[in-house]
Amino acid sequence: MIQVRNLEKRYGTGSTVVHALRGVDLDVFPGEILMLMGPSGSGKTTLLSMLGCILQASSGSINIDGREIAGLPESRLPALRLSHFGFIFQGFNLFPALSARENVEIGLRLKGIGGGKARRQATDLLDRVGLGDKLDKIPADLSGGQKQRVAIARALAGDPPIILADEPTAALDSHSGTAVMEILASLARKKDRTVVIVTHDNRVLHYADRTVHIADGLIVDHTSQEQAA
Amino acid sequence: MSMLAWKNLFHDRVRLAVTLVGIVFSLVLIVVQFGLFLGFLDTSSNIVAYSGADLWTAAPGIPHVNGGTPLNESLRWKALQVPGVRKVTKFALTFVNWKLPAGSTESVQIAGYELGSGMGGPWNVVRGTESDLAAEDSVFIDELYAAKLGIRALGDSAEVTGRRARVSGFTHGIRSFTTAPYIFTSFKNAQNYARLAEDQTVYFLIRLDPGVNPEVVRSQLRQRLLNADIYTNEEMRRKTMFYWVFQTGAGVTTLMGAILSLIVGAVVVAQTIYSATIDHIREFGTLKAMGAANWVIYQVILLQAAISAVMGYSVAIVVGEFVSHSSQTGNAPINLPPWMAAATFCLALTMCMGASVLSIRKATQIDPAMVFRG
């Protein structure tokens, strides 16, 4: 479970200070799909980065599975990212020189899984996202939707409890976007993973258990699926 | 992570080619310039290095081996009385004029040695034998200078200080640092060509008994030969080399060129490796965001640099060997001894990995949040 309390992020100092987040409170539960929405510059990607230990908070608290991570020294964050999170990026961020399987293997190798085991697990993960026949293709030979599915398989490497996704469907057509969201929804429902998604894409909102609207660094609205219905 | 390093390098073949061209260019430049300098060092003192002598006796205060002045032969008998001295032979090395068959004149250095002594004679003899030098007008020249001296074949003649000099043999690759080639002949002939008196020589070359300490013998020789300087062969070689290389413009220019090539090479390699790494900066950002520790990124970058260095070196050393081999028939040899090939390998690794350290700094300072920016 993720618990965020009075989270703030400031850039700059004195008269040039910019408040990216101004005291955010948020709880995200296992098996839940939470969508963060809001206009550009509202602070949603900043919040996602801070949840994923990529960006450090200026003040406030982030508690993940009972462990306080705000204020931890920079040197301890990579290990936390590795053990707790899988990341999916808008631009896919695949390694262009590596095949689909090798891209997934990288995630496993970082977690200390190597050799034949990494190879087998990478193959399984790609099978799960429907790319069992594209194992040896490099990203340049894959469509946008296929690339994002490789990115999902990589994010799942090592079975992290939390998946953080930044605009995962933004670069995809509606068919590919739906396929990607089906995989993420299945992860949350069947594997009890926490999935936090930053999105502008109204087509995928119905996958959310809860939608949080952010504006000017503040949460301005919570909408649960029941309320939306 | 070695997989990522290898694949990153070979994925973009054009980028790899550009990187390798930069490294190869730099290494070849360095090899050629330093090889030229080594060639200069060897050429400047080869007559000493190949003399076969343990000690040299010379007139006091000579600046280098090519600047000797006459000594009296009587010193020879004094030298032979010193315990540990096995053999003392006369050696003349003097600048004289060589008149070509066509009438023009070239400056040459007559190297006259006592035949059969095993000291001061020519090496790399490719035509003729030492016994051919016994004839009164017989000389050996080097093939490299045959055209310059107007010689087309064995038996051709020229004139040295009014006396006939008939070419009865050729050597290969005996260069002179000056514009005056070495002409080997018997000591007796050299005395005539150089117009030395009957009782004069320019040097005494001394060979010692096996196992004796040259310093002890030299000390005793100094006590007996008051009007002469005694040098070990290595001292004479260094003295000569230092004079020609460092006290004349040519050697210093070559050395400066070598140092400059090292600087230019290092800069080119640094830029090449740096930009090759920066091309992958976003991937390193992704690795960091995924949770890779900095040492993982160091590993990838250093391995890429090491692979580039090995590949670049492999091509550069082949080119260097070719250039070196081709230069051996010219006036300016480019030497590439095995130790220099090994040193170049170490240099390539050091330069590439050193340059990658610059990019490591950049890569490890990446804000992993960059992965969320489009």
Side-chain angles (χ1 to χ4, degrees):
Chain A
M1 178 181 177
I2 304 173
Q3 263 191 338
V4 175
R5 292 292 176 268
N6 200 26
L7 190 67
E8 292 194 10
K9 181 66 184 175
R10 294 181 293 274
Y11 295 103
T13 53
S15 59
T16 59
V17 71
V18 175
H19 293 268
L21 290 180
R22 305 163 179 265
V24 169
D25 294 324
L26 182 67
D27 291 330
V28 196
F29 302 95
E32 182 180 32
I33 297 179
L34 177 82
M35 294 208 184
L36 297 174
M37 296 197 74
S40 295
S42 58
K44 53 191 188 303
T45 299
T46 300
L47 177 57
L48 191 76
S49 302
M50 290 165 76
L51 292 179
C53 302
I54 282 177
L55 208 56
Q56 286 188 301
S58 302
S59 63
S61 159
I62 304 173
N63 193 296
I64 293 174
D65 294 335
R67 184 176 182 184
E68 180 58 45
I69 62 163
L72 280 179
E74 180 77 38
S75 59
R76 294 181 58 186
L77 299 181
L80 265 175
R81 291 200 288 271
L82 211 49
S83 59
H84 282 74
F85 302 100
F87 295 94
I88 299 166
F89 310 104
Q90 179 181 352
F92 318 126
N93 287 41
L94 298 177
F95 299 97
L98 303 186
S99 67
R101 178 160 51 195
E102 288 163 342
N103 263 284
V104 181
E105 272 186 61
I106 283 278
L108 291 163
R109 283 168 193 264
L110 286 177
K111 291 176 181 177
I113 303 164
K117 194 172 178 189
R119 205 173 163 77
R120 281 192 300 278
Q121 286 193 16
T123 305
D124 288 346
L125 287 165
L126 286 166
D127 263 340
R128 275 166 62 185
V129 296
L131 291 177
D133 58 339
K134 306 284 183 191
L135 299 177
D136 296 321
K137 298 283 182 192
I138 59 168
D141 295 335
L142 298 174
S143 68
Q146 288 169 334
K147 285 178 194 169
Q148 198 58 295
R149 280 190 278 160
V150 174
I152 291 171
R154 186 176 68 184
L156 298 179
D159 215 12
I162 303 166
I163 302 292
L164 303 177
D166 183 39
E167 306 271 13
T169 58
L172 308 180
D173 58 45
S174 62
H175 176 73
S176 301
T178 301
V180 164
M181 285 310 301
E182 286 292 341
I183 296 168
L184 292 175
S186 158
L187 271 175
R189 313 280 183 255
K190 294 179 185 166
K191 299 269 182 180
D192 214 24
R193 298 286 176 265
T194 304
V195 179
V196 181
I197 300 171
V198 165
T199 187
H200 278 109
D201 189 351
N202 289 321
R203 296 172 302 178
V204 302
L205 286 182
H206 62 278
Y207 286 99
D209 296 311
R210 201 152 42 105
T211 305
V212 168
H213 291 266
I214 301 181
D216 297 327
L218 286 168
I219 292 180
V220 294
D221 187 27
H222 278 266
T223 314
S224 67
Q225 198 172 36
E226 293 76 29
Q227 288 168 322
Chain B
M1 286 301 130
S2 57
M3 170 181 70
L4 184 59
W6 279 100
K7 298 246 171 167
N8 268 353
L9 273 179
F10 288 94
H11 176 66
D12 187 344
R13 301 275 166 90
V14 176
R15 158 50 81 185
L16 177 63
V18 169
T19 304
L20 291 182
V21 165
I23 296 169
V24 169
F25 167 78
S26 302
L27 292 179
V28 169
L29 183 69
I30 291 167
V31 163
V32 167
Q33 286 294 330
F34 273 92
L36 204 54
F37 181 65
L38 286 182
F40 268 40
L41 291 182
D42 278 359
T43 301
S44 66
S45 58
N46 54 5
I47 197 85
V48 182
Y50 286 91
S51 69
D54 294 316
L55 296 173
W56 288 64
T57 303
I62 64 157
H64 50 83
V65 79
N66 309 87
T69 52
L71 277 174
N72 193 286
E73 195 177 349
S74 62
L75 296 178
R76 176 180 199 165
W77 312 115
K78 290 183 181 176
L80 278 169
Q81 290 167 7
V82 172
V85 171
R86 187 179 187 183
K87 193 189 283 183
V88 179
T89 69
K90 294 178 284 186
F91 182 61
L93 189 64
T94 309
F95 285 91
V96 293
N97 284 329
W98 173 281
K99 192 172 178 187
L100 280 70
S104 59
T105 303
E106 288 284 348
S107 181
V108 297
Q109 295 176 80
I110 283 288
Y113 73 106
E114 292 188 49
L115 303 183
S117 68
M119 286 188 280
W123 63 98
N124 290 349
V125 176
V126 291
R127 301 284 298 277
T129 60
E130 192 176 55
S131 59
D132 294 325
L133 286 176
E136 196 178 325
D137 56 358
S138 180
V139 298
F140 280 11
I141 67 168
D142 197 274
E143 289 174 334
L144 291 171
Y145 300 104
K148 175 184 167 85
L149 299 176
I151 300 300
R152 283 177 296 185
L154 277 182
D156 282 1
S157 298
E159 196 179 297
V160 177
T161 53
R163 291 168 179 271
R164 193 170 81 139
R166 187 174 48 83
V167 175
S168 56
F170 286 108
T171 61
H172 177 73
I174 301 182
R175 294 178 179 81
S176 165
F177 191 79
T178 67
T179 55
Y182 290 117
I183 307 295
F184 288 90
T185 188
S186 68
F187 180 79
K188 187 68 194 160
N189 281 343
Q191 262 185 329
N192 292 331
Y193 289 138
R195 291 181 176 151
L196 290 171
E198 273 293 307
D199 61 350
Q200 283 184 326
T201 181
V202 178
Y203 297 104
F204 288 112
L205 303 183
I206 299 174
R207 179 156 305 155
L208 304 178
D209 287 330
V212 300
N213 184 341
E215 286 302 326
V216 172
V217 177
R218 175 159 70 163
S219 166
Q220 291 178 339
L221 282 167
R222 277 178 175 159
Q223 287 171 9
R224 286 178 188 253
L225 312 180
L226 298 176
N227 292 320
D229 285 343
I230 318 290
Y231 302 95
T232 64
N233 200 57
E234 182 59 18
E235 277 174 348
M236 181 62 97
R237 194 183 71 81
R238 284 175 187 270
K239 185 180 178 71
T240 299
M241 195 168 71
F242 185 83
Y243 178 85
W244 287 118
V245 174
F246 295 106
Q247 292 187 270
T248 66
V252 173
T253 305
T254 312
L255 179 61
M256 293 301 290
I259 293 169
L260 202 61
S261 73
L262 191 61
I263 295 168
V264 170
V267 169
V268 171
V269 168
Q271 275 196 326
T272 306
I273 294 286
Y274 183 80
S275 71
T277 308
I278 295 304
D279 275 358
H280 296 287
I281 201 85
R282 192 171 178 81
E283 291 156 48
F284 296 129
T286 303
L287 273 178
K288 280 193 83 169
M290 288 167 67
N294 279 343
W295 68 263
V296 173
I297 294 169
Y298 298 161
Q299 198 184 18
V300 174
I301 294 175
L302 286 173
L303 189 56
Q304 279 181 204
I307 296 168
S308 303
V310 171
M311 291 175 67
Y313 169 81
S314 304
V315 178
I317 208 66
V318 170
V319 176
E321 280 287 359
F322 175 75
V323 172
S324 171
H325 185 75
S326 306
S327 75
Q328 299 307 318
T329 52
N331 284 331
I334 294 164
N335 290 1
L336 181 49
W339 68 262
M340 188 167 140
T344 307
F345 178 70
C346 296
L347 182 70
L349 270 184
T350 306
M351 286 200 307
C352 288
M353 296 181 82
S356 72
V357 169
L358 298 176
S359 43
I360 276 176
R361 222 175 113 72
K362 183 92 176 166
T364 53
Q365 284 176 346
I366 311 165
D367 178 1
M370 75 182 284
V371 292
F372 288 125
R373 295 179 204 124

